[in-house]
Amino acid sequence: MKYIEKLHEIVGKNRVSTSSPELYCYSCDASQIKGMPDYVVRPDSTEQVSKIVQFANKHKIPVTSRGAGTGLAGGAVPISGGIVLDLSSMNRILDVDIENLQVAVEPGVVHAKLNEKLKYHGFFFPPDPGSSAMCTIGGLIANNGSGMRSVKYGTSSRYALDLEVVMADGTVINTGSKTLKTVAGYNLTGLMVGSEGTLGIITKAVLKVAPLPKARTVILASFENPELAGEGVVKTLSSGIVPSACEILDKTAIEALNAFDPNLNLPDVGAILMFEVDGTGGAVEEGAKLIESSCSSLATNVKSASTKQESEELWRARRLVGAAISRLDPNRTRVYVGEDVGVPIKEIPKMLKKVREISEEFNIPIMTYGHIGDGNLHTGMAIDVLDDSQWDSLNKAGDKIHRTAIELGGTVSAEHGIGGARSKYMELELGPALDVMLNIKNALDPNNILNPGKLGV
C-alpha cells in the first residue's frame, strides 16, 4: 500500500482500486492461470500510462496491461502481482481516415464497435475473432489475433501500420508510419504485435482497413469423419481457391450445437466444413462452384446457403460452439486447455486423427472446431471439475495435443497467445530462437516489470 499515494496523484483516487473483491476480478481470465494484483489502475491517457510505468520501473513493480480480459492463456493475469493497468477507459476512435484507408484508435476500443463505425463508410477491420463483441483492439494486437476470416485476410499484424507504445522506462515511441508501407529501420511494429505486453504497452494504433465485400455466401460440406474433412481442405486450398473463411465442426461439436439450439438442424455427420466466399457477385458464385467441385469426391453432401439469413444462422452457430459443449453433459464444464494448436495445411488430417485417438485414450470428449483453413484447430474438452482424476486426464491430454502439434511442424498457439498457460512449450517449439527473444526482452525491459512470466521470457 506504500505506493498508493503516487498512483492517486497520477490518475486520481477513483481510478485506483485496492479492495479485495475488485482485485479478485482481475486475478484471472478464461484460462486456469491465476494471480492477484496489488493495485488496479485505470488510466485514461498515454501520459498517465507513461507516468505509471516510469514509477513502476523505478520501484521494480510488475505491470500487467489488460483490456477486456477475454484471453484464454493467462496473458493478462498478474502472476507476479503488482499493478494491473486496465486500459478499457482508453476507448476512443480517434480518426476514421477512409481516404488513406486507415483508422486510429485507442487500445480499449471494442472490436465490434470499431466495425460498426467503419460499416457506415463501407469498410471494415478484417480480423474476426469469436469474441468480437467483447475483446479490445489492444488485446487483439498484443496477441496478433485473427479469427474466422484469417484464411483470406490474415492476422492483425497485416493491418497494424503504426503503434504508439509506452516502453518499460516510460518512454513513448511510435513504431511505424501512416503510410501503407515503410522500410525505415527495424520492423518495430511487427515486434510489438504478438508480444503480449512483455516489451511495451500499446496506447494507440493506426490500422489499415479494407472495403466491405459486395457479396458473401456460405458453402456447407458434410463428411463421414474429420480426417476426410481435412483432406477436403487440403484439396480445396491446393487447387488455388482462397475462401474468406474455412471452418470445421466435428461430430461432437455438431451434437453440442444441435442440443444448444435444435432449430439449427445441422446434419448428423462425422464433420462439416463451412466455407465462406466473398467479393463481387460473379466471383462469389464462381468460388462456390469451385469449392463444391473440390469437395464433391470426398463429401457426402455439399450445398450453398440459399439466403443471406441462412448464412448468418450458420455463422451464429459457429460463434456459439465454444460454450455449447457443456450441453452434452450438465456434469461437465468446458476447460480451456490445449485448445489453440496450429499445424501445416497438409498435416491437418493427421492432427485430426491424433485428436480422436487422444480423446479415446484419456476418455475425455474432445470437440474439434476452428479455423481449419489456416491449420488452426480448437480442441474443446469438458470434464467434471470436482473430480481430480479428470483434471489429471485433461492435463495429460492437453500436453499430448501440444506436443503432437509441435512434432507435426506446428505451434502450440495459432491465435490465442502463449501467456502463462503455454510458456513451458516455448523452448521445445522455438529452440535457440527463444534465447534471441530473451535477449530482446532483457534489452527493452531490463528490470523485467512488463508482464513478467509470460511468453517463456
Side-chain angles (χ1 to χ4, degrees):
M1 298 296 292
K2 62 181 180 179
Y3 302 122
I4 194 75
E5 289 185 6
K6 182 61 177 180
L7 295 174
H8 285 167
E9 178 187 321
I10 295 172
V11 299
K13 288 187 178 182
N14 63 333
R15 290 186 171 273
V16 181
S17 297
T18 56
S19 68
S20 296
E22 288 195 61
L23 296 180
Y24 182 78
C25 291
Y26 290 83
S27 69
C28 60
D29 58 8
S31 73
Q32 306 311 302
I33 304 299
K34 301 287 188 289
M36 189 71 75
D38 298 297
Y39 312 90
V40 172
V41 187
R42 303 178 184 87
D44 65 1
S45 69
T46 300
E47 181 183 10
Q48 289 182 355
V49 173
S50 175
K51 289 180 178 179
I52 293 164
V53 173
Q54 185 177 28
F55 174 73
N57 190 52
K58 178 180 178 181
H59 296 280
K60 297 182 173 60
I61 307 168
V63 179
T64 303
S65 52
R66 185 181 178 103
T70 59
L72 301 174
V77 176
I79 59 177
S80 299
I83 295 170
V84 165
L85 272 188
D86 179 348
L87 300 172
S88 59
S89 295
M90 296 176 65
N91 59 1
R92 293 170 282 261
I93 298 174
L94 302 170
D95 185 29
V96 178
D97 186 359
I98 297 302
E99 291 179 324
N100 282 315
L101 304 178
Q102 60 192 240
V103 61
V105 300
E106 291 183 323
V109 171
V110 172
H111 178 271
K113 290 187 176 181
L114 173 59
N115 272 333
E116 285 174 16
K117 181 81 170 180
L118 291 172
K119 185 178 180 179
Y120 173 80
H121 300 275
F123 280 73
F124 76 129
F125 176 58
D128 185 31
S131 57
S132 173
M134 301 170 285
C135 75
T136 60
I137 296 297
L140 193 64
I141 296 170
N143 286 283
N144 194 17
S146 50
M148 289 179 276
R149 294 191 170 102
S150 56
V151 185
K152 178 178 179 179
Y153 293 103
T155 66
S156 296
S157 61
R158 185 184 293 186
Y159 301 93
L161 298 173
D162 180 32
L163 301 176
E164 181 182 82
V165 179
V166 175
M167 304 302 288
D169 63 356
T171 301
V172 181
I173 69 167
N174 283 85
T175 63
S177 165
K178 288 186 177 181
T179 59
L180 295 181
K181 61 179 182 178
T182 175
V183 292
Y186 295 137
N187 184 2
L188 298 181
T189 303
L191 180 63
M192 291 298 167
V193 176
S195 64
E196 299 187 24
T198 61
L199 301 179
I201 296 170
I202 298 166
T203 52
K204 178 182 173 182
V206 177
L207 306 170
K208 183 168 61 175
V209 297
L212 280 165
K214 302 299 182 185
R216 284 179 173 147
T217 192
V218 173
I219 302 95
L220 196 68
S222 302
F223 299 84
E224 291 181 358
N225 57 60
E227 293 94 303
L228 282 172
E231 290 176 25
V233 173
V234 175
K235 187 175 180 181
T236 300
L237 297 180
S238 61
S239 69
I241 302 168
V242 183
S244 53
C246 177
E247 299 287 307
I248 188 172
L249 299 172
D250 73 356
K251 186 175 182 63
T252 305
I254 294 167
E255 290 174 354
L257 282 168
N258 282 333
F260 185 87
D261 185 355
N263 292 324
L264 291 171
N265 198 29
L266 295 173
D268 183 16
V269 293
I272 58 176
L273 291 178
M274 293 171 56
F275 294 93
E276 182 189 76
V277 184
D278 69 9
T280 59
V284 166
E285 290 178 13
E286 182 181 355
K289 289 177 182 178
L290 289 171
I291 289 172
E292 290 179 22
S293 175
S294 295
C295 290
S296 59
S297 64
L298 297 166
T300 57
N301 185 52
V302 185
K303 68 170 187 174
S304 295
S306 57
T307 65
K308 181 180 179 181
Q309 183 179 354
E310 185 179 355
S311 291
E312 290 174 351
E313 282 297 302
L314 288 169
W315 280 124
R316 186 178 70 85
R318 167 58 187 88
R319 291 183 186 279
L320 291 171
V321 69
I325 191 172
S326 59
R327 292 302 178 98
L328 295 177
D329 185 345
N331 295 316
R332 290 177 178 265
T333 301
R334 170 75 191 274
V335 181
Y336 287 91
V337 170
E339 41 62 54
D340 185 40
V341 295
V343 295
I345 298 296
K346 72 175 183 179
E347 303 293 354
I348 288 171
K350 194 178 294 184
M351 187 70 207
L352 288 166
K353 181 180 179 182
K354 192 64 180 178
V355 170
R356 276 211 295 175
E357 292 172 356
I358 292 169
S359 176
E360 293 169 2
E361 179 183 352
F362 294 99
N363 193 30
I364 292 179
I366 300 181
M367 176 180 67
T368 305
Y369 64 101
H371 321 309
I372 194 170
D374 59 12
N376 183 195
L377 297 173
H378 300 318
T379 50
M381 295 186 279
I383 61 169
D384 178 353
V385 294
L386 300 179
D387 185 335
D388 290 341
S389 65
Q390 289 192 31
W391 274 106
D392 183 60
S393 295
L394 176 134
N395 288 322
K396 288 178 178 177
D399 182 68
K400 205 158 192 177
I401 289 170
H402 283 138
R403 293 180 185 277
T404 299
I406 294 172
E407 288 168 8
L408 293 174
T411 178
V412 295
S413 180
E415 65 176 4
H416 292 164
I418 298 299
R422 290 180 270 266
S423 291
K424 66 180 180 180
Y425 298 104
M426 292 294 277
E427 185 174 3
L428 179 63
E429 180 174 330
L430 299 179
L434 181 58
D435 292 332
V436 178
M437 285 179 53
L438 285 164
N439 288 336
I440 293 170
K441 170 69 170 174
N442 291 334
L444 298 183
D445 181 18
N447 290 327
N448 192 29
I449 66 160
L450 296 179
N451 211 5
K454 310 295 173 61
L455 268 177
V457 296

